[in-house]
Amino acid sequence: MDALINVGQFLAATLVSAAIHFPLEITRSLLNFGVAPAARYARRQKARTIALEVARTRERLVYLIDEGQVLLARLRDADKDADACRSHTRAWTAQVEEFLSSDFGNVYVSRFQSRSIVDLGGIAGVPPERLSDWRDLRDAVSNLELFGSELHLA
């Protein structure tokens, strides 16, 4: 038992001696011992936060694309009220632009607003008076789908 006490006293004396002679190294070692787990925890929390944001963005983008597809179908249907379809389309467009501006920046809003220069003529099933609105909406939905594939979200 005396041998164990002597070893303990020797280790304590060594630690005190080292702390007196090498205070900076001892302090750094103790700090590293306590900081490493905290740093790993902070990294894990940040990774979880980023993953959650990506999942929310993905869900929002998919929702907006689906909603745009529904609006395209409404514009194609001659029985639906054209003015109501246009107002829904404007509201959807404003919602998408707000989403893109807040989550991706104004560059994506500009890209979203760009329209195709290819004129396909009449589209089967789309009433002629709605063709311009339908093309604009189709281009907008296509741009959103393109963003999703670029960002690997959709």
Side-chain angles (χ1 to χ4, degrees):
M1 186 66 146
D2 289 333
L4 227 53
I5 293 173
N6 288 338
V7 169
Q9 288 174 345
F10 175 75
L11 289 175
T14 304
L15 184 61
V16 168
S17 174
I20 291 170
H21 295 292
F22 307 104
L24 183 60
E25 288 78 11
I26 296 295
T27 304
R28 187 179 302 139
S29 296
L30 290 174
L31 285 175
N32 284 339
F33 180 73
V35 170
R40 282 193 301 270
Y41 176 77
R43 268 195 308 268
R44 282 194 307 269
Q45 288 301 99
K46 187 172 184 176
R48 285 184 189 128
T49 301
I50 291 170
L52 186 60
E53 282 183 38
V54 167
R56 286 182 185 154
T57 301
R58 177 182 297 125
E59 289 173 7
R60 184 78 173 135
L61 186 61
V62 168
Y63 172 78
L64 290 170
I65 290 170
D66 290 345
E67 197 172 305
Q69 295 290 350
V70 169
L71 289 172
L72 280 171
R74 286 184 185 165
L75 277 173
R76 187 180 284 260
D77 188 356
D79 295 335
K80 301 287 182 185
D81 181 27
D83 291 332
C85 289
R86 283 187 193 101
S87 69
H88 284 113
T89 299
R90 282 191 297 273
W92 176 83
T93 302
Q95 190 178 25
V96 170
E97 288 173 353
E98 181 182 327
F99 163 72
L100 290 174
S101 177
S102 66
D103 284 26
F104 299 108
N106 290 328
V107 172
Y108 278 88
V109 174
S110 298
R111 288 181 58 200
F112 171 73
Q113 293 170 344
S114 70
R115 299 295 179 241
S116 174
I117 58 173
V118 177
D119 185 13
L120 301 174
I123 306 294
V126 178
E129 66 276 3
R130 297 181 186 191
L131 190 56
S132 174
D133 294 331
W134 189 87
R135 280 188 189 133
D136 287 343
L137 184 59
R138 178 207 54 205
D139 290 343
V141 171
S142 296
N143 288 342
L144 274 185
E145 291 171 343
L146 178 65
F147 299 159
S149 65
E150 286 176 1
L151 301 167
H152 304 290
L153 294 176

